[in-house]
Each structure stands twice: as C-alpha cells, then as structure tokens.
Amino acid sequence: MKSYAEVIAELAAMRDEKYRAFNERIVNIPQGTSVGVRTPLLRDYGKGLVKGEGFDLDALLAFPNDVFEIRLLKCFAVGYTKMPFPEKVKYIERCVPFIDGWAVCDLFCSTLKEVKKHREEFMPEIQKYIDEGTEYSQRFGYIMLLGCYMEREYLSEIFALLAKAQTKFYYTHMGAAWLIAEVLVKFYEEGAAYLKDCPLEAKTVNKAIQKARESYRLTEEQKNYLKLLKK
C-alpha cells in the first residue's frame, strides 16, 4: 500500500491550480486545503489505487483527513472496493463522520450505487444517520434517499424521515429541499399532497417548490399550482 506522502505526490502531479482556486470557493473549504485534482481524474486514480497490488483500505482510511482529495479518495475507495455488503456498511459508517461539506457528501453518495441492490438492508442505516441530527449525517441520509430510494414504495418512509430534518443547518435544509423537489418531479400528486400538510419550515418548502418549478419535467399547470403551496 502506498504511503500518504506517495499518494499526495501522485495527486500533486495531476494538479490544476486554476481549478483548485475555483473549486475551493465552490465547495466552501479553506484556501490551500486541496490539491486541485478534477473529480474524474480523482475517480480514475481511486479505481487504480483499489486495483493496485497491496492495496489496503484500512491503511487508506488511516490517512489524515486534512486534504479535500484525501477525504474524497477514501469515500471513492469504499465505493469501489469489492466486498460483502454488510462489510461495506461498516466502512461507510467509518466515512460519514469526516464528511464536512456538500461535495464530499454528494460525491460519496453518487459512488454508493450498490445500495440500490440492498435498499431494505441499508434503510436502517439511513434512519440512523438522519436520527443523529447533524448537518452532514442528515444530508448524507437525504441524498442517499434521493439517489437510491426514489420509488413510490418508499415515499411514506421518505416523508417520515423528512419530518426529522434539522433545517437550521443550511446543507440539511438544501438536501431536504432537493429531495422534496425530486419527489414532486417524479411523483407529483403524492408530493403536492405532502406539501399541503408539510411539517418543514417555510424556507425548505419554498426552496423545494422553487427547484421543482425549475424542472422541465413538470407542466406549466403543475408549476402554477405549486406556487400556490408556498408558505
């Protein structure tokens, strides 16, 4: 397994300085805490690392979390490493605590496509993370619901979990709004009925409606009706 210094050196060889400065503003991290590696390149590097001789996922997870790309690399590696799903659940649990921004959260979620094959098995984990009530544990839960559970059979669970959203946290608020907006786009009638008696704060309901109304997948009539549901 490559050392932390070796991995950092290899990432530095892929650095794009203009991208680094731009991306640090977008993902809202302190200046100078990233290398500046574009996400597709980092994903490819992660896949290569996982397949490399002597790769050790535990050793990678022991690396410091002070660099943005290292945090992402850990998440990618957990997603890419083949293992029994119950074991993967334990590795996911080790990653969620160091999620400290929307980018690490959402890119991690998008890498965990395997969850779609284990929805019932993973649902208690989502409930656990949402029940923790922290900004990024909840965002992780809501973005996982958005990406892996957007089916009619899970709507009642989605609505029940949305009721627990700590929308005083900005990224929880935005994650919940995004989730509701996607429900409105895919299951308009159920989503609109939910909004009529929604327990969430006005700011989250209104943001969800705004996002849904921006979608080309809704009719003008549907968009106009949603406007009437704003708080």
Side-chain angles (χ1 to χ4, degrees):
M1 174 66 193
K2 295 175 181 177
S3 69
Y4 175 74
E6 289 172 324
V7 170
I8 288 291
E10 290 178 348
L11 293 178
M14 297 182 279
R15 172 185 286 129
D16 181 329
E17 186 58 28
K18 289 184 178 179
Y19 173 76
R20 182 198 63 75
F22 165 78
N23 193 56
E24 286 179 351
R25 294 193 299 271
I26 296 298
V27 302
N28 194 29
I29 58 175
Q31 185 176 359
T33 60
S34 73
V35 178
V37 181
R38 293 180 180 271
T39 301
L41 290 177
L42 189 65
R43 283 193 180 279
D44 288 344
Y45 180 82
K47 290 174 183 177
L49 191 67
V50 166
K51 293 177 182 178
E53 185 178 351
F55 174 70
D56 186 332
L57 183 56
D58 291 307
L60 176 63
L61 290 177
F63 285 2
N65 287 318
D66 53 346
V67 175
F68 173 73
E69 284 85 355
I70 294 295
R71 298 193 294 277
L72 263 183
L73 190 60
K74 292 180 180 183
C75 293
F76 290 163
V78 167
Y80 297 147
T81 302
K82 293 182 179 180
M83 65 182 83
F85 190 72
E87 186 178 349
K88 180 154 293 194
V89 169
K90 294 179 181 178
Y91 277 103
I92 292 170
E93 188 173 26
R94 291 173 63 180
C95 292
V96 172
F98 64 70
I99 293 175
D100 61 347
W102 70 264
V104 173
C105 178
D106 297 6
L107 288 169
F108 188 25
C109 291
S110 70
T111 309
L112 297 175
K113 295 181 174 65
E114 187 178 349
V115 169
K116 288 185 178 181
K117 299 178 182 179
H118 302 273
R119 287 170 174 152
E120 292 301 318
E121 188 177 351
F122 198 68
M123 179 59 82
E125 296 298 308
I126 289 180
Q127 293 169 340
K128 176 184 72 178
Y129 293 126
I130 290 174
D131 284 342
E132 284 179 10
T134 67
E135 185 167 17
Y136 294 110
S137 69
Q138 288 207 328
R139 185 178 176 95
F140 176 80
Y142 293 134
I143 301 305
M144 287 301 301
L145 288 171
L146 190 155
C148 295
Y149 291 83
M150 195 52 62
E151 305 287 347
R152 183 170 274 106
E153 64 186 288
Y154 290 107
L155 288 179
S156 61
E157 288 176 274
I158 288 173
F159 294 150
L161 290 169
L162 278 166
K164 300 180 179 183
Q166 298 293 317
T167 53
K168 61 185 178 181
F169 299 124
Y170 178 77
Y171 289 108
T172 298
H173 150 69
M174 292 298 289
W178 186 9
L179 177 58
I180 298 167
E182 193 65 17
V183 170
L184 286 166
V185 168
K186 292 195 173 181
F187 306 104
Y188 176 79
E189 292 184 6
E190 292 89 340
Y194 168 74
L195 287 183
K196 288 181 180 178
D197 191 28
C198 179
L200 291 170
E201 290 183 83
K203 67 177 183 180
T204 304
V205 171
N206 294 344
K207 177 59 72 172
I209 290 172
Q210 175 193 329
K211 284 180 171 291
R213 293 183 74 245
E214 290 171 353
S215 173
Y216 64 88
R217 291 174 287 175
L218 294 182
T219 67
E220 285 303 312
E221 182 180 2
Q222 289 173 326
K223 292 179 182 181
N224 290 335
Y225 179 71
L226 288 178
K227 196 172 182 179
L228 299 175
L229 298 180
K230 293 182 72 174
K231 292 187 177 182

